[in-house]
């Protein structure tokens, strides 16, 4: 792709013309293939979730538009795949959601080629603040993380040397941690009909595989990726919502993006999106990357949450029968309905009335 002078950031959205409205937002993730030039990856920078930079910017943004910000729990967790130990990262809301009696939606996050790191852990925490049980998987093995490009090249080379079936097995094992019997199921209840997949760089390949292989994910949203195995797109993934976030100067170029859209059409995917972010480069959403773009990262992730939310079944309006103001059981959802400012009153477990009483607070209730 021929570079042109930088212009003000803008998102250009292509929409397909079919009988159903097809939403479009696409990302190009770096392919972990033998002919990929990983040596040209942008250098990393020092960054942790606990930096002042993160606290001031990312954490203040996470949770906007969610009503009350749920308290979350997050931690490293060990799980086993084929007899070997792997270390993922889980984050989940600690307060129950009365609107979701079947559990929280789940999100599995596939890391970039460096291995599970601070960026993916921050995204898991961000997802938890949006009401998801999030699990960042580990494709390399416990303690196997890269600190430079040479190390990342070695790790992804070792992974791919095991063959595609082993790669798929590790990816599916990460997804399974959100399901009954998985390590995450011991901590939080996940609605297994609402599990979503996302990934960055090489992780977009594994995230997309969850749709291609028909592993039961509801939607996929991936960031700055190359496109591997496009010919493997089949109608098995027709009902999975697919979203791709593409950097303006990503390596596959506009031709690669158009090829991806052709294969999505060919697989009869009913709802898909591709979004191109002007003036951005591969890795724009990763805060540990030297070419991180704050605006595009924020916009693309807000778009992901909106896209996943739109795929969820619409729930009938039903007020909680158990919620009441702290210390006064008579002040329930019926009491809230009498005066709209009461929608901000807190009940047991710090649950707001507007979250527990959606019928009583139809104008103040905010989407997930």
């Amino acid at each position: 792709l021929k570079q042109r002078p930088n212009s003000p950031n803008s998102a250009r959205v292509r929409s397909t013309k079919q009988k159903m409205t097809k939403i479009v937002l696409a990302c190009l993730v770096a392919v972990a293939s033998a002919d990929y030039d990983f040596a040209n990856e942008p250098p990393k920078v020092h960054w942790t979730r606990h930096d002042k930079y993160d606290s001031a910017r990312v954490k203040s943004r996470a949770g906007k538009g969610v009503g009350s910000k749920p308290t979350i729990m997050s931690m490293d967790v060990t799980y086993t795949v084929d007899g070997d130990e792997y270390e993922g990262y889980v984050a989940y809301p600690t307060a129950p959601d009365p609107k979701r009696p079947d559990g929280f939606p789940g999100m599995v996050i596939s890391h970039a080629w460096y291995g599970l790191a601070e960026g993916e852990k921050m995204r898991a925490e961000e997802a938890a603040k949006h009401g998801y049980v999030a699990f960042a998987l580990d494709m390399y093995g416990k303690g196997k993380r890269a600190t430079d490009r040479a190390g990342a090249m070695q790790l992804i080379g070792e992974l791919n040397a095991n063959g595609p079936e082993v790669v798929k097995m590790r990816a599916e094992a990460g997804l399974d941690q959100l399901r009954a019997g998985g390590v995450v199921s011991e901590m939080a209840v996940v609605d297994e009909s609402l599990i979503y997949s996302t990934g960055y760089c090489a992780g977009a390949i594994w995230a997309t595989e969850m749709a291609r292989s028909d592993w039961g994910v509801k939607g996929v949203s991936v960031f700055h990726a190359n496109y591997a195995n496009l010919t493997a797109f089949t109608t098995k993934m027709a009902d999975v919502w697919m979203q791709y976030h593409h950097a303006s100067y990503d390596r596959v170029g506009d031709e690669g993006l158009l090829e991806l859209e052709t294969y999505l059409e060919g697989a009869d995917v009913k709802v898909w999106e591709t979004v191109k972010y002007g003036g951005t480069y591969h890795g724009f959403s990763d805060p540990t990357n030297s070419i991180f773009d704050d605006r595009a990262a924020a916009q693309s992730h807000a778009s992901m949450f909106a896209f996943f939310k739109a795929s969820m079944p619409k729930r009938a309006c039903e007020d909680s029968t158990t919620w009441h103001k702290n210390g006064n059981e008579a002040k329930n959802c019926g009491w809230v309905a009498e005066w709209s400012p009461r929608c901000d009153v807190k009940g047991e477990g710090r649950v707001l009335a507007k979250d527990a009483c959606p019928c009583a607070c139809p104008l103040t209730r905010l989407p997930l």
Side-chain angles (χ1 to χ4, degrees), residues 35-82:
D35 60 352
Y36 184 76
D37 186 8
F38 284 102
N40 288 326
E41 286 283 338
K44 290 286 187 176
V45 296
H46 174 75
W47 183 91
T48 75
R49 288 164 292 130
H50 308 295
D51 287 344
K52 180 179 179 181
Y53 171 71
D54 173 41
S55 299
R57 182 185 57 77
V58 179
K59 291 189 177 179
S60 63
R61 185 175 69 237
K64 281 189 177 179
V66 208
S68 60
K69 297 180 183 179
T71 301
I72 69 166
M73 181 71 72
S74 59
M75 67 193 75
D76 295 305
V77 291
T78 300
Y79 61 106
T80 302
V81 183
D82 198 28

Side-chain angles (χ1 to χ4, degrees), residues 208-267:
T208 303
E209 189 62 47
M210 297 179 189
R212 273 198 301 260
S213 296
D214 193 24
W215 291 344
V217 295
K218 183 75 172 177
V220 174
S221 180
V222 291
F223 298 76
H224 37 81
N226 278 337
Y227 307 122
N229 301 329
L230 289 181
T231 56
F233 280 24
T234 70
T235 53
K236 288 192 300 183
M237 56 193 289
D239 293 328
V240 181
W241 287 40
M242 304 292 296
Q243 185 186 57
Y244 298 80
H245 303 277
H246 177 56
S248 178
Y249 302 132
D250 223 317
R251 298 178 182 85
V252 299
D254 288 348
E255 295 80 7
L257 184 60
L258 290 172
E259 183 182 18
L260 167 72
E261 293 173 351
T262 298
Y263 278 101
L264 288 166
E265 291 277 7

Side-chain angles (χ1 to χ4, degrees), residues 146-305:
T147 57
D148 55 30
R149 283 180 282 197
M153 179 75 80
Q154 179 178 345
L155 286 174
I156 202 162
E158 291 173 355
L159 170 66
N160 291 332
N162 289 301
E165 293 307 313
V166 170
V167 174
K168 290 174 65 174
M169 177 183 68
R170 293 185 188 180
E172 187 171 20
L175 173 64
D176 286 344
Q177 301 312 308
L178 287 167
R179 294 182 166 139
V183 64
V184 179
S185 68
E186 301 171 4
M187 307 173 190
V189 180
V190 176
D191 183 342
E192 295 189 22
S193 70
L194 296 176
I195 294 181
Y196 297 87
S197 174
T198 185
Y200 304 86
C201 183
I205 301 170
W206 311 319
T208 303
E209 189 62 47
M210 297 179 189
R212 273 198 301 260
S213 296
D214 193 24
W215 291 344
V217 295
K218 183 75 172 177
V220 174
S221 180
V222 291
F223 298 76
H224 37 81
N226 278 337
Y227 307 122
N229 301 329
L230 289 181
T231 56
F233 280 24
T234 70
T235 53
K236 288 192 300 183
M237 56 193 289
D239 293 328
V240 181
W241 287 40
M242 304 292 296
Q243 185 186 57
Y244 298 80
H245 303 277
H246 177 56
S248 178
Y249 302 132
D250 223 317
R251 298 178 182 85
V252 299
D254 288 348
E255 295 80 7
L257 184 60
L258 290 172
E259 183 182 18
L260 167 72
E261 293 173 351
T262 298
Y263 278 101
L264 288 166
E265 291 277 7
D268 198 28
V269 177
K270 296 182 176 64
V271 181
W272 58 265
E273 298 183 348
T274 61
V275 177
K276 182 177 177 181
Y277 297 88
T280 61
Y281 294 81
H282 179 82
F284 71 83
S285 74
D286 179 3
T288 71
N289 199 306
S290 58
I291 49 80
F292 173 65
D293 187 298
D294 188 16
R295 183 211 60 81
Q299 181 177 335
S300 57
H301 284 84
S303 174
M304 177 189 73
F305 287 116

